[in-house]
Amino acid sequence: MNGPNVWITGAGSGIGLAVAERIATSTSRVIVSGRRLEPLAELAARHANVRALSLDVTDRDAVRQAVAEIGLIDIAILCAGTHRPTPASNFDAQSVRNLIDTNLMGIVNCVEALLPPMLERGTGQLVLVGSVAGYRGLPTAAGYCASKAAVIALAEALRLDLADTGVDVRLVSPGFVDTPLTQENSFPMPDLITAEKAAQHILKGLAKSGFEIAFPARFAFAMRCLRLLPDRLYFPLMRKVTGC
């Protein structure tokens, strides 16, 4: 990761902050953005090569302006995301819209602004952070799962479209990571890892070739198996395991 200009969205906390902390120890120029400026400014104060930028990725025009202002971006790690339960017993369209706006459209807005200069240069890397929750629908998480499933499909389609352009597309699919968002969960979280460990998985994966970086390995494998399970087995199994 030495040298390139790296932009990290959602860098105020969680995975984005942990990735930024690790990259900031290299010689890279790092731009960190998020809705809250205070944690970004604290990060920038610790590292001379880090620049903080207040940005709401759901604001399409603001994203365009930010990308133009930043200038050269070699690698964009699009971590901005949110979560809240959307159970069928209290289903709310606005809650789902908020999840889609941040988790999906936030990435879409960034990709739209980043692609033209990357295609013109014939180089660049887009790192889209999804979730293993996008593999299949999970109880009480209809909105979140839908948003992350869309990110997976988006990354796959972009990977195909950009295969011969020099622009590399990667998908990051974390399992449960200890962040301010997951700390609000009231249910057991199998194979929970720290944000620092998640950042280690991401940067190790980006140093290699390939498409998807899924972790932790055991939980990601289990979720992949669920994706392959026939519906007639999946639904009874999930009801038994989750008690829903």
PDB file of all heavy atoms in Angstrom, residues 51 54 62 71 86 120 142 205:
ATOM      1  N   ARG A  51      -5.606  13.447   5.388  1.00  0.00           N
ATOM      2  CA  ARG A  51      -6.434  14.647   5.256  1.00  0.00           C
ATOM      3  C   ARG A  51      -7.874  14.292   5.558  1.00  0.00           C
ATOM      4  O   ARG A  51      -8.398  13.306   5.038  1.00  0.00           O
ATOM      5  CB  ARG A  51      -6.318  15.207   3.841  1.00  0.00           C
ATOM      6  CG  ARG A  51      -7.252  16.390   3.569  1.00  0.00           C
ATOM      7  CD  ARG A  51      -7.240  16.755   2.103  1.00  0.00           C
ATOM      8  NE  ARG A  51      -8.268  17.741   1.790  1.00  0.00           N
ATOM      9  CZ  ARG A  51      -8.635  18.070   0.555  1.00  0.00           C
ATOM     10  NH1 ARG A  51      -8.034  17.498  -0.475  1.00  0.00           N
ATOM     11  NH2 ARG A  51      -9.578  18.968   0.353  1.00  0.00           N
ATOM     12  N   SER A  54     -15.172  16.228   5.630  1.00  0.00           N
ATOM     13  CA  SER A  54     -16.549  15.965   6.032  1.00  0.00           C
ATOM     14  C   SER A  54     -17.394  15.729   4.779  1.00  0.00           C
ATOM     15  O   SER A  54     -17.413  16.562   3.872  1.00  0.00           O
ATOM     16  CB  SER A  54     -17.106  17.145   6.825  1.00  0.00           C
ATOM     17  OG  SER A  54     -18.454  16.918   7.170  1.00  0.00           O
ATOM     18  N   ALA A  62     -22.449  16.526  -3.536  1.00  0.00           N
ATOM     19  CA  ALA A  62     -21.330  16.706  -2.615  1.00  0.00           C
ATOM     20  C   ALA A  62     -20.221  15.700  -2.899  1.00  0.00           C
ATOM     21  O   ALA A  62     -19.028  16.028  -2.793  1.00  0.00           O
ATOM     22  CB  ALA A  62     -21.810  16.569  -1.174  1.00  0.00           C
ATOM     23  N   GLY A  71      -8.762  15.333  -6.113  1.00  0.00           N
ATOM     24  CA  GLY A  71      -7.835  15.146  -7.219  1.00  0.00           C
ATOM     25  C   GLY A  71      -7.550  13.675  -7.444  1.00  0.00           C
ATOM     26  O   GLY A  71      -8.460  12.845  -7.386  1.00  0.00           O
ATOM     27  N   THR A  86     -34.995  -4.133  10.632  1.00  0.00           N
ATOM     28  CA  THR A  86     -36.250  -3.847   9.907  1.00  0.00           C
ATOM     29  C   THR A  86     -37.130  -5.087   9.971  1.00  0.00           C
ATOM     30  O   THR A  86     -37.400  -5.728   8.944  1.00  0.00           O
ATOM     31  CB  THR A  86     -35.975  -3.451   8.445  1.00  0.00           C
ATOM     32  OG1 THR A  86     -35.099  -4.441   7.850  1.00  0.00           O
ATOM     33  CG2 THR A  86     -35.306  -2.096   8.349  1.00  0.00           C
ATOM     34  N   GLU A 120     -10.083   7.224 -17.717  1.00  0.00           N
ATOM     35  CA  GLU A 120      -9.218   8.060 -18.561  1.00  0.00           C
ATOM     36  C   GLU A 120      -7.754   7.715 -18.356  1.00  0.00           C
ATOM     37  O   GLU A 120      -6.975   7.683 -19.317  1.00  0.00           O
ATOM     38  CB  GLU A 120      -9.463   9.534 -18.228  1.00  0.00           C
ATOM     39  CG  GLU A 120      -8.691  10.490 -19.128  1.00  0.00           C
ATOM     40  CD  GLU A 120      -9.013  11.938 -18.841  1.00  0.00           C
ATOM     41  OE1 GLU A 120      -9.922  12.211 -18.025  1.00  0.00           O
ATOM     42  OE2 GLU A 120      -8.351  12.814 -19.439  1.00  0.00           O
ATOM     43  N   ALA A 142     -34.316  -7.323   6.804  1.00  0.00           N
ATOM     44  CA  ALA A 142     -34.706  -7.259   5.393  1.00  0.00           C
ATOM     45  C   ALA A 142     -34.042  -6.095   4.672  1.00  0.00           C
ATOM     46  O   ALA A 142     -33.501  -6.263   3.569  1.00  0.00           O
ATOM     47  CB  ALA A 142     -36.232  -7.144   5.284  1.00  0.00           C
ATOM     48  N   GLY A 205      -5.921  -8.972   1.752  1.00  0.00           N
ATOM     49  CA  GLY A 205      -6.616  -9.392   0.536  1.00  0.00           C
ATOM     50  C   GLY A 205      -6.324  -8.487  -0.638  1.00  0.00           C
ATOM     51  O   GLY A 205      -6.178  -8.949  -1.781  1.00  0.00           O
TER      52      GLY A 205
END
